[in-house]
Amino acid sequence: MSETRRQEVLPFHRPFLGEEEIAEVVDTLRSGWLTMGPKTVRFEEKFARQVGAKHAVAVSSCTAALHLAFECFGIGPGDEVITTPYTFASTIASIAYAGARPVLADTLPDFPNIDPDQVAAKVSERTRAIVPVHISGAPCDLGRLHEIAAGCGAVVVEDAAHALPATYLGRPIGSISHATAFSLYAGKNVTTGEGGVLTTDDGEIADKARIRRLHGISRDAWKRYTAEGSWYYEVEARGFKYNMTDINAAIGLHQLDRIEAFQSRRRELVALYEEELAGIPGVVRPHPPGDGESSWHLYMIRIDPERVSCGRSEVIDLLKEDNISTSVHFIPAHHHPLFQERYGWSRESFPNATRLYEGAISLPLFPTMEDDDVRSVARSLGRIVREHLR
Ligand SMILES: *Cc1c(COP(=O)(O)O)cnc(C)c1O
């Protein structure tokens, strides 16, 4: 047993849910209205205010929000959507759901956000959307991406699964692009258990999204079983079962109140990681590109293979022996067999993304972590790396 081993397991993430969330869920259960209803509507209004968007449409996941966005912009077979290999598989899947073709543009050399120059090189007459992913919550270069999109008549749909709350040039993510998709999955900064939100300033897109998230039946279909509702409905668009439920919205209403507190604690923990890891050779700390303020969803370090003789996976195993849980974000899209087969990508296709991935480790970061937890991670990591210096 190593001398740096913690007594108790430090989880990679633990969501914070207070008595307010619990009471609100109980209230929902007692109300008899479980699915999308008045609390979802309140949650949407509150969410739109939070990110400075005109409209927020609550759905079942970020994956659903992305897919809905493509449907609402009329993107489908024959169209191309440019995105990054450095993302969760569902970004790619959501493009495939719409019937469009994902086209990948490699990341920056030293940070896993999409490189606008690589995007510009991938534009074709079929390009209909650009989908940046703000990795760890650090905003992509939206200025350049919007220029490129405007030049080819494409829309920008942000995968902001990590970026609640983040800002780009002082503006909140969610208020900038044609549409933005957020995740409220259990592991994200703000959670409803499972859930997602699509934000937009375009009223027509918001209306389309509201219809398409609930079977493609007419607006306010959820009111069918209320006093003001009617039994009659018509299917008017290709729709999906993507609505949020009031049970999830009940949690979200109170999670939104905690954003400030969550973020100030995340920033403190990141500052402490920066201090504690600064002297450790072979550990590259994250340097988010400069035009925004990150939500610090993840604290992603990189093990430098020139300095450290053991691989990233071995570092993860040794941290685990010290009772420290970690994760890896992300296995790039071009490493997955299905996507290789379907789109002709190989492991060599996007070298920046592959190199960044091969050294990446996400360290534990969540608001209820103690300062001493960060110190214990630094102690273990420091010992492991020093025992394997070249
Ligand atoms: C979590 C995540 C998603 C998917 O979010 P869901 O709400 O689980 O659908 C999409 N993109 C990225 C980058 C993510 O991290």
Side-chain angles (χ1 to χ4, degrees):
M1 197 191 303
S2 85
E3 77 275 14
T4 54
R5 185 171 183 265
R6 288 169 53 97
Q7 290 239 288
E8 289 176 9
V9 173
L10 176 63
F12 173 65
H13 174 74
R14 190 190 292 126
F16 179 83
L17 298 158
E19 290 308 316
E20 291 83 352
E21 281 90 333
I22 293 168
E24 195 75 49
V25 168
V26 170
D27 177 72
T28 308
L29 299 180
R30 291 195 201 287
S31 79
W33 194 283
L34 304 184
T35 185
M36 183 164 66
K39 287 191 187 180
T40 304
V41 174
R42 262 170 57 207
F43 174 70
E44 290 180 331
E45 289 163 0
K46 200 165 176 174
F47 195 96
R49 277 198 301 279
Q50 171 70 39
V51 304
K54 286 204 179 115
H55 310 279
V57 180
V59 291
S60 51
S61 70
C62 179
T63 311
L66 288 166
H67 175 207
L68 264 188
F70 303 135
E71 291 282 332
C72 294
F73 286 111
I75 295 168
D79 296 333
E80 292 180 354
V81 175
I82 302 178
T83 191
T84 170
Y86 211 101
T87 186
F88 184 52
S90 76
T91 315
I92 311 300
S94 68
I95 298 166
Y97 293 168
R101 185 177 187 85
V103 172
L104 301 185
D106 205 356
T107 66
L108 299 164
D110 49 9
F111 194 85
N113 277 353
I114 197 165
D115 179 349
D117 289 332
Q118 304 268 358
V119 173
K122 292 298 175 81
V123 167
S124 81
E125 69 274 17
R126 295 169 181 269
T127 306
R128 296 287 315 280
I130 297 173
V131 181
V133 182
H134 310 298
I135 293 295
S136 76
C140 294
D141 186 345
L142 290 174
R144 290 275 328 274
L145 294 172
H146 273 263
E147 266 173 43
I148 296 164
C152 65
V155 292
V156 176
V157 177
E158 297 172 45
D159 178 338
H162 299 181
L164 178 64
T167 58
Y168 173 76
L169 296 177
R171 291 173 66 188
I173 294 296
S175 70
I176 299 168
S177 293
H178 301 86
T180 304
F182 292 93
S183 176
L184 302 168
Y185 173 67
K188 299 295 178 1
N189 283 24
V190 171
T191 186
T192 58
E194 295 279 0
V197 181
L198 184 67
T199 64
T200 181
D201 280 351
D202 185 331
E204 224 172 284
I205 293 297
D207 284 346
K208 285 185 171 179
R210 287 183 206 287
I211 288 166
R212 282 159 178 73
R213 78 168 151 186
L214 197 61
H215 310 295
I217 62 185
S218 41
R219 195 172 152 77
D220 291 337
W222 63 269
K223 287 187 181 157
R224 226 152 74 241
Y225 300 108
T226 67
E228 47 178 312
S230 142
W231 61 269
Y232 188 75
Y233 61 87
E234 287 177 346
V235 175
E236 45 186 79
R238 184 169 119 112
F240 306 90
K241 187 68 201 286
Y242 280 170
N243 61 282
M244 182 174 269
T245 77
D246 267 21
I247 303 171
N248 301 104
I251 302 171
L253 281 168
H254 297 281
Q255 287 275 293
L256 290 179
D257 290 337
R258 301 188 195 282
I259 284 189
E260 288 300 313
F262 282 171
Q263 287 316 116
S264 75
R265 183 60 185 150
R266 279 181 185 274
R267 282 192 294 269
E268 281 174 10
L269 292 164
V270 166
L272 191 56
Y273 265 131
E274 288 288 298
E275 200 180 301
E276 294 283 323
L277 300 185
I280 305 179
V283 170
V284 184
R285 287 172 287 129
H287 297 290
D291 292 334
E293 189 168 346
S294 177
S295 65
W296 287 111
H297 171 53
L298 300 171
Y299 189 76
M300 294 165 65
I301 58 156
R302 209 146 37 81
I303 303 299
D304 179 0
E306 313 249 296
R307 304 292 311 276
V308 182
S309 61
C310 68
R312 173 266 312 273
S313 308
E314 194 177 341
V315 175
I316 288 176
D317 291 344
L318 293 168
L319 284 169
K320 194 165 186 182
E321 282 177 20
D322 269 6
N323 278 335
I324 293 164
S325 316
T326 57
S327 189
V328 173
H329 298 87
F330 285 100
I331 300 164
H334 61 291
H335 288 223
H336 293 299
L338 175 75
F339 299 147
Q340 291 177 346
E341 199 179 301
R342 191 178 289 186
Y343 302 119
W345 305 327
S346 76
R347 278 176 183 249
E348 288 72 45
S349 301
F350 305 98
N352 287 347
T354 294
R355 195 177 51 82
L356 293 175
Y357 155 68
E358 282 175 346
I361 303 178
S362 301
L363 300 179
L365 179 63
F366 52 92
T368 52
M369 253 174 91
E370 304 286 341
D371 289 2
D372 273 344
D373 293 329
V374 172
R375 292 190 189 103
S376 74
V377 175
R379 259 197 312 277
S380 291
L381 190 60
R383 176 189 61 78
I384 292 163
V385 166
R386 287 193 180 90
E387 284 173 2
H388 294 86
L389 275 186
R390 286 189 198 279

